[in-house]
Amino acid sequence: MSAILKINGTKKTFDEGLPPTLSELLNNLEIDAAMVVAEIDGEIIERKSFAQTELKEGMAIELIRFVGGG
Amino acid sequence: MTPYTFYELKNAVVGIAGLGGLGSNVAVALTRLRIGKLILTDFDVVEESNLNRQNYFHNQIGQHKVDSSLENLSRIDPEADLEGHKVRLTPEKIMRIFKNCQVIAECFDRADQKQMLVETVLSKMKKTVVVSVSGLAGYGRSNEIRTRRISDRLILVGDMVSGTGPGVPLTAPRVGIAAYHQANAIAEVLILGTRASRPQAIR
């Protein structure tokens, strides 16, 4: 069953169903959790809670990825 | 110094997390703007390799970056209100040292440290704005470095993709562009508030 998330303002369809948690979404997108700040529906999700954060159809997810240099 | 002082900046307190290529230059710009007070933090000493982009001088090699920055900023404005902390920041120390700051500039080098600071400010310091940088390595492509307002409390500077690594050095001009974007965003948010610009998604 396909499902949709809005990621950084763009709708993304998951044909095989949603990844169950935020951690699994990041794995799916090949994003290193240590370098991302995540917000779901405007609420910041701390990194230690990524594995327990369940995803639901229609959620708006902002993923702010950091690269090194300063 | 300058005859014009922005009223809104006169009582502002800004924290600078890291005094490398970003932080040492952000501090210079904010001192020249006569910001009310700067709280400077770093754990490191000046090395010769830093002089390609950081606001230090050859005779400061080996000195603590906090001491060198305090010295350089005081030479710009002897009356500048500056507070230095020689510390490696953790979430607890960020909350304590930057408690009275309206805005914190994230000026770290490592991506995981950037993540740690931004997450701490957004989740634990509900009245503080953070201005962070991601993607500034290399040279050229000046106009790909942008300032984006992500939310009421997060402003992000950079091209979002250019991390430093083998063959992709950090250079004075491109790091400087990002640092001055950062300082300019801090001035804007203090003078006008976050409503001056609309939130933007990262794409």
Side-chain angles (χ1 to χ4, degrees):
Chain A
M1 193 191 80
S2 82
I4 291 173
L5 292 174
K6 200 170 175 186
I7 300 176
N8 292 354
T10 305
K11 280 183 183 161
K12 184 171 167 68
T13 305
F14 294 83
D15 292 328
E16 313 283 306
L18 290 184
T21 66
L22 185 53
S23 284
E24 282 167 84
L25 172 68
L26 294 176
N27 285 341
N28 184 315
L29 298 173
E30 297 181 356
I31 294 175
D32 182 349
M35 298 175 191
V36 68
V37 166
E39 281 189 351
I40 298 184
D41 297 330
E43 286 293 313
I44 178 100
I45 309 294
E46 291 183 64
R47 182 155 75 96
K48 64 182 183 210
S49 309
F50 285 1
Q52 292 86 51
T53 302
E54 293 176 18
L55 301 184
K56 297 188 183 68
E57 168 83 27
M59 278 178 162
I61 303 179
E62 291 288 327
L63 298 174
I64 298 133
R65 299 170 70 175
F66 293 99
V67 295
Chain B
M1 202 172 45
T2 161
Y4 191 85
T5 304
F6 288 94
Y7 164 79
E8 297 86 348
L9 301 184
K10 217 169 65 177
N11 297 313
V13 184
V14 174
I16 301 187
L19 292 169
L22 290 169
S24 66
N25 288 305
V26 168
V28 166
L30 295 181
T31 298
R32 294 193 196 281
L33 273 172
R34 305 194 88 177
I35 212 94
K37 180 175 185 173
L38 288 180
I39 299 178
L40 312 170
T41 67
D42 204 291
F43 62 86
D44 215 352
V45 296
V46 178
E47 292 177 43
E48 189 162 14
S49 64
N50 300 151
L51 299 183
N52 74 343
R53 67 186 189 283
Q54 305 186 16
N55 185 55
Y56 300 110
F57 299 93
H58 199 270
N59 66 354
Q60 293 178 319
I61 291 169
Q63 263 188 35
H64 205 288
K65 287 185 182 179
V66 168
D67 292 331
S68 299
S69 277
L70 291 173
E71 180 183 318
N72 297 340
L73 300 172
S74 298
R75 286 179 67 192
I76 294 171
D77 182 1
E79 289 170 15
D81 188 357
L82 307 167
E83 179 182 311
H85 294 264
K86 297 171 187 173
V87 64
R88 195 183 279 272
L89 287 172
T90 59
E92 293 70 31
K93 288 175 185 164
I94 290 167
M95 285 186 271
R96 181 164 50 78
I97 293 170
F98 294 139
K99 192 174 59 178
N100 297 322
C101 296
Q102 283 98 50
V103 184
I104 298 173
E106 178 282 302
C107 298
F108 289 141
D109 187 41
R110 276 170 44 189
D112 62 325
Q113 296 294 295
K114 292 173 179 287
Q115 192 280 345
M116 183 272 294
L117 184 125
V118 172
E119 181 181 292
T120 301
V121 177
L122 294 182
S123 63
K124 303 275 185 2
M125 303 173 78
K126 300 285 186 190
K127 290 181 175 172
T128 310
V129 174
V130 58
V131 181
S132 181
V133 179
S134 183
L136 49 54
Y139 55 87
R141 296 171 295 121
S142 302
N143 294 340
E144 290 176 22
I145 292 182
R146 292 175 51 203
T147 297
R148 292 171 176 83
R149 194 189 124 205
I150 307 300
S151 68
D152 271 355
R153 295 201 297 118
L154 174 60
I155 296 168
L156 198 53
V157 168
D159 68 14
M160 305 298 129
V161 292
S162 302
T164 182
V168 193
L170 297 167
T171 66
R174 210 155 189 264
V175 173
I177 288 169
Y180 273 69
H181 262 259
Q182 212 175 0
N184 207 20
I186 291 168
E188 185 179 40
V189 79
L190 289 170
I191 295 168
L192 296 178
T194 49
R195 279 166 188 76
S197 57
R198 304 163 87 186
Q200 290 173 289
I202 311 161
R203 288 176 214 274

